[in-house]
Amino acid sequence: MIDLARALRKDISRRSFIKYSATLAAMLGLSDAFVPKIAAAVEGMANGKQPVIWLHGAECTGCTVSFANSHHPGVAELVLDTLSLQYHETLMAASGHVAEKALEEAMTRFKGKYILVVEGAIPVKDDGIYCRIGGKTFKSKVEEAATNAAYVVAVGTCASFGGIPAADPNPTQCKGVADVIGGTVVNIPGCPAHPDWIVGTIVSILLFNKVPELDKHGRPMPFFGKQIHENCPRRGGYEQGRFIKKFGEELPNIEGCMGAKGCRGPITYADCPHRLWNAGTNFCIAASAPCAGCVEPSFPKLPLYEPIEEVAKFIEESEASQDQGSISTFAASLGGAVAGAAAGAGAVYFAGEKAREKEGVE
Ligand code: SF4
Ligand code: SF4
């Protein structure tokens, strides 16, 4: 087992560890009073007090990579080093029979107490023979491990809803965890899942000893309660009917909407516009790529770069309106939630215009 004190000294100062705990409190919508409890929860994980068993199925391991690339690497390593003590196929030092024995022992020793994290979809065709680990099917491994888990957490869109392994025509009949084992599964989708979503959800479970509030797709509301489109920095472009028609295009005086390039922001729920990725650097739409809806059960839906039905209709109406010499808003075509964001979108547009004026951009 790792020495927490030594790890803290080596990788992360006590001060930044507490700061990280405060960030976790904020992301969960909790007051500063919870900071010491959150710090204790993370330390508890790192000290092996909270056993976690992490299984990998049909996937690319991208969610583990995303987690390990958390912008607080000291904390991620701290937690992952310890998780590997129980079972984590990618990160544990053991392999072969020794690794499988470690899993059996962990499931027996921590019966009813461990958090089971599943990364990857479960192939179910022919009783799951298309994904086997240590001679057992992944399907049977997950079913067995879930039987005695305190909580089951599906990390990434593959484990949550099937994701890319389940894309049409899905020859191995991959499914998400909840569709195979039933019961309550906390889904943390994303391709990959954001490291904050993973750490925040596990800490929330440890703090309150129950799963956080979930939406209809089993996703924690603190991270998946907001529509991308409603919070999009390009929403002004949408309202003005100004669409990017080819990648790399820049429109005068406005950040053009990516809707014509297949953006799925209007049907996607995640906090990417606020949380951002890569240590708060950016997110897909702001980096001039359409949202692919990677956190939704429908992901991946092809063709990726064709406008979705709702937006195609809006674009058509918008262009017809502009042909007639008037520009109006069609927010109602995407439902009430969208209409409420129109004022904010205007603010984004005008803020962008002001910034350009200041910089002397035409
Ligand atoms: S369609 Fe996409 S780019 Fe356009 S405003 Fe909505 S979320 Fe933003
Ligand atoms: S913006 Fe869309 S595609 Fe990009 S990470 Fe967020 S949900 Fe996934």
Side-chain angles (χ1 to χ4, degrees), residues 157-179:
T157 301
C158 304
S160 299
F161 311 123
I164 288 176
D168 190 43
N170 193 6
T172 60
Q173 286 177 17
C174 274
K175 291 189 172 184
V177 177
D179 284 342

Side-chain angles (χ1 to χ4, degrees), residues 184-203:
T184 301
V185 175
V186 180
N187 287 329
I188 311 175
C191 194
H194 195 296
D196 286 358
W197 300 339
I198 304 171
V199 180
T201 300
I202 293 178
V203 165

Side-chain angles (χ1 to χ4, degrees), residues 2-342:
I2 63 167
D3 177 340
L4 175 67
R6 203 184 53 168
L8 285 174
R9 274 199 303 278
K10 185 176 149 213
D11 295 321
I12 179 168
S13 71
R14 187 76 203 169
R15 194 170 161 198
S16 56
F17 180 66
I18 295 299
K19 198 169 153 206
Y20 177 67
S21 301
T23 308
L24 281 175
M27 81 170 71
L28 293 168
L30 302 172
S31 75
D32 285 352
F34 281 89
V35 172
K37 287 183 185 164
I38 288 174
V42 176
E43 283 176 340
M45 276 196 280
N47 279 325
K49 285 180 193 147
Q50 175 54 55
V52 177
I53 291 173
W54 189 308
L55 300 181
H56 290 264
E59 42 102 27
C60 68
T61 314
C63 291
T64 285
V65 173
S66 173
F67 187 41
N69 279 338
S70 154
H71 62 283
H72 294 281
V75 172
E77 282 161 18
L78 199 68
V79 175
L80 285 171
D81 278 355
T82 303
L83 298 189
S84 72
L85 285 178
Q86 308 308 329
Y87 192 80
H88 189 300
E89 285 148 8
T90 313
L91 299 166
M92 66 197 298
S95 62
H97 294 299
V98 180
E100 292 315 298
K101 194 159 172 271
L103 175 60
E104 295 295 328
E105 283 174 3
M107 285 195 295
T108 307
R109 190 167 153 218
F110 302 109
K111 190 173 177 181
K113 296 192 182 123
Y114 57 85
I115 296 176
L116 173 65
V117 175
V118 183
E119 182 178 350
I122 305 175
V124 299
K125 190 175 180 190
D126 299 328
D127 207 24
I129 59 167
Y130 300 104
C131 182
R132 286 196 285 191
I133 301 149
K136 286 187 182 172
T137 65
F138 181 58
K139 177 173 172 281
S140 67
K141 264 190 135 170
V142 173
E143 284 167 342
E144 186 186 355
T147 305
N148 293 312
Y151 302 97
V152 181
V153 178
V155 163
T157 301
C158 304
S160 299
F161 311 123
I164 288 176
D168 190 43
N170 193 6
T172 60
Q173 286 177 17
C174 274
K175 291 189 172 184
V177 177
D179 284 342
V180 175
I181 66 166
T184 301
V185 175
V186 180
N187 287 329
I188 311 175
C191 194
H194 195 296
D196 286 358
W197 300 339
I198 304 171
V199 180
T201 300
I202 293 178
V203 165
S204 170
I205 288 172
L206 295 180
L207 267 184
F208 300 111
N209 215 16
K210 62 175 188 181
V211 300
E213 187 190 354
L214 305 177
D215 71 1
K216 65 179 177 181
H217 298 305
R219 305 176 294 195
M221 287 296 282
F223 307 118
F224 300 97
K226 293 188 178 127
Q227 186 198 48
I228 299 257
H229 182 69
E230 200 176 341
N231 299 283
C232 178
R234 293 178 183 266
R235 180 63 191 275
Y238 179 88
E239 294 299 327
Q240 298 284 322
R242 311 278 297 276
F243 297 97
I244 298 286
K245 293 291 174 63
K246 58 179 192 230
F247 287 114
E249 185 179 22
E250 286 191 23
L251 303 183
N253 301 324
I254 200 162
E255 301 284 352
C257 169
M258 303 298 299
K261 299 307 291 174
C263 183
R264 301 177 73 78
I267 52 170
T268 300
Y269 286 77
D271 63 8
C272 307
H274 300 296
R275 183 166 312 286
L276 305 178
W277 285 74
N278 300 317
T281 306
N282 210 342
F283 85 113
C284 304
I285 294 170
S288 302
C291 168
C294 79
V295 298
E296 293 298 321
S298 56
F299 176 83
K301 183 119 172 120
L302 298 174
L304 266 181
Y305 301 122
E306 294 293 318
I308 58 173
E309 196 181 319
E310 295 86 337
V311 174
K313 187 164 173 273
F314 178 83
I315 293 172
E316 205 179 296
E317 290 172 357
S318 171
E319 287 178 348
S321 171
Q322 288 181 35
D323 283 349
Q324 288 160 16
S326 66
I327 297 176
S328 59
T329 61
F330 296 90
S333 68
L334 287 177
V338 174

